[in-house]
Amino acid sequence: MQLTDDERAMADGRDGPAVQRAMDLLQRYGRALGAERLVATNNIVASVSATTPFMRDFARRKGGMDAVFSEFSLDSADVVTIPKIRAFTTHTQLGFVPDEPERMGVDEATVQFYRQGEAFITGLGVQATNTCTPYQVGNLPTRGEHCAWMESSAVIYCNSVLGARTNTEGRESVGAAMLTGRIPYWGYHLDANRRGTHHVVLETTVESTSDWGLLGYWIGDQVQERVPVVEGVKCIPNLARLKHFGAAASSSGGVEMAHLVGITPEAPNLEAAFGGNRPIETLRFGAAEHRATWEKINATGKDTQVDYVMLGCPHYTMEQLWEAARLIEGRKVNADCELWIFTARAIKSIADQNGTTKILEDAGAHLMTDSCSAMSRAVPKGTRVAAFDSAKQAHYLPAILGLQAWYGGVDECIDAACTGRWQGRFA
Ligand code: F3S
């Protein structure tokens, strides 16, 4: 792999052993991927927190948080002292909500260990945003900017909505990128890999957030890891609809880049989106596909009595919290049901300040940050049937926790929370 003089100096130890280990990791990783060089990045979304009992034991045996970072983020058997990070880094979601240990079923020792780790990484310079939606809370890269992001729903948003460039990175590669400001130059960093491969023609109206989730879910299923080009968007989607679309497409398939013609910065028209590629296939999303996807995603839903409603996957926007508050104000969550809503810390602080949190909590909902049910594997005790406005959550939770899932709009979910019954219908 070709290295610049600065990269060679880092690899030779100029900036200390941790940076040297990071360069070693990036070179091994890049060679495995066939990358010819690295690319500079100053935008990382990383998970480098320490939350598991295994890591806690490891830290105790091997010498604290430097040891945890060396082993789990640098793939280094030797414990090296971790210096301040070189590239701007925000933290992605956690495996539980540290402020809600009881609800999450997490013991105090685990929370204390997390807090110790949080102090360590923030001391290095990491921003503890703890969200899967970094673009909502200050990490908003510009078109063409090279990034190194974890979290599939954020990656597709970064590539497809913002026009910035990232692959779906892992804990080790972002750990190394934070210390060096470099990431292998391959995959979606390269123009050639960003061009469309499949032509998707919309033949039915896709408007609501629920519709966008269904469209994403159908596309992911059809194209898997390729690059769809979606033509025929008539109702311009807002932030929430785009994030639900991307989260769904990266759940049913592994879509990391999609072109929405007229919306994606690199897709002002069909020709630009394909960039000279001949589409492998033309797919049509009409009324029949729309309904079939709704039926597929609701396939596990059998009992209409709902024990749990979860909103906030990906983490809710300010607008979605406001909408949920408007829908539930003056009502109460049913005694036999729970409503949990997840958002980013920074957004909750606004909701706390403007009274949104109070409206939700007065109705009996719980507004939480930093994680979600799928990530924390936490749902209210005894949950058998759950309802979601997120295709991603409806996709994963039946598989992870064996529960029945209903999928619908936020209005249907709030109704289910307040009545304890699922009455959603395909609209
Ligand atoms: Fe975020 Fe959890 Fe969904 S981390 S994208 S809310 S699965």
Side-chain angles (χ1 to χ4, degrees), residues 214 217 221 290-304 384-388 390-391 393-399 402-408 422 424 426:
L214 291 174
Y217 200 72
D221 209 16
H290 197 182
R291 174 178 272 281
T293 310
W294 185 89
E295 282 166 1
K296 182 172 184 179
I297 207 161
N298 276 300
T300 62
K302 305 279 182 242
D303 301 332
T304 52
R384 289 177 45 255
V385 182
F388 308 101
S390 160
Q393 208 72 210
H395 176 82
Y396 283 118
L397 273 193
L403 44 77
Q404 295 179 35
W406 292 108
Y407 171 79
W422 181 254
F426 178 71

Side-chain angles (χ1 to χ4, degrees), residues 93 132 151 153 312-315 372 374-375 392-393:
Q93 70 275 0
C132 49
E151 170 47 39
S153 69
C313 171
H315 282 168
C372 70
M375 283 296 140
K392 177 170 181 174
Q393 208 72 210

Side-chain angles (χ1 to χ4, degrees), residues 126 144 158 177 225 232 287 290 365 398:
V126 174
C158 180
E225 294 176 355
H290 197 182

Side-chain angles (χ1 to χ4, degrees), residues 163-174:
R165 299 181 172 218
T166 186
N167 297 302
T168 305
E169 297 294 346
R171 182 180 180 115
E172 299 79 5
S173 57
V174 293

